[in-house]
Amino acid sequence: MPAVPPSPQNQPSTQLITVTALLTALFTPPTARADGVVIDKIYHPYVQPLEQELEWRAIFQNDQPGVSDNLRLYRLAYGRSLGDAWFAEIYLTGQASDDNSFSVDSYEFEAQWQLTEQGEYWADWALLFELERERDLDAWEYSTGLLVEKEWGRWSGTANFFVAREWGPEIVDETETKLGLQARYRYSRAFEPAVELYSGEDTRGIGPAMLGQVRLGGRKALSWEAGAIFGLGSESPDVTLRFLLEFEF
């Protein structure tokens, strides 16, 4: 049975609730541990059927109070689509800093559920579910993310809003929130300049980013991202550099 678009009278109230939630998350002080890394990948709410991918991410940040200087975080993942609406991914995460040598410190399982077809409603929607196991702290973290994307001509706006719960015998159980926003200009498939804003876990930051994709024939493609995010306020890292390479096949 085909999907029935929401009635026009209900759309303004839905948009108002969504915008209010995002603004509340952005300007409400977070209640999270200082060692969390907020600035990371911005997720888009789309699943490509039959797709598999290998992903590598690197994040470098410095000068944040309460966090080891020159923190370096690395993620390596394999993912694949599970039908038309689901995508699953498994991560290994390692980190190093001036105080600690490199070590693999956590494992993560991630599942994305695309809720709407692209262009079906006023915006495109998906949910992201993450379960992470931290080795050193004997701790778990579960998070749910709302992914929203809207296109205006050659511009795309994307919002990621996450709520996470941490628990374990060696940490204080707590609930965290974080928000990532991205405004992207689709200049070409190979190059898309963007501006990103992040908020959460004692971090506020904004800065430029670049994204692109190179087709390699058939279903194969290489996607890349790079960004430099500058801290807003004394509790945020001075600068965070983020990089991503993704091989799709």
Side-chain angles (χ1 to χ4, degrees), residues 46 56-59 107 130 132 143 164 168 189 206 220 248:
Y46 308 113
W56 174 82
R57 283 189 248 168
I59 298 167
Y107 315 97
E130 297 176 339
E132 183 178 359
S143 62
R189 181 184 291 272
I206 189 171
K220 297 179 181 179
E248 303 165 3

Side-chain angles (χ1 to χ4, degrees), residues 117-136:
E117 294 295 329
Q118 188 170 6
E120 183 178 6
Y121 300 120
W122 70 272
D124 304 322
W125 302 79
L127 291 174
L128 189 70
F129 308 97
E130 297 176 339
L131 181 64
E132 183 178 359
R133 173 73 164 86
E134 296 186 36
R135 296 176 57 212
D136 296 338

Side-chain angles (χ1 to χ4, degrees), residues 133-134 136-140 166-173:
R133 173 73 164 86
E134 296 186 36
D136 296 338
L137 293 178
D138 189 20
W140 292 83
E166 292 181 324
W167 71 93
E170 300 181 31
I171 67 170
V172 177
D173 297 358

Side-chain angles (χ1 to χ4, degrees), residues 40-51:
D40 203 340
K41 171 183 176 179
I42 297 288
Y43 289 84
H44 302 277
Y46 308 113
V47 172
Q48 300 298 328
L50 305 178
E51 183 178 88

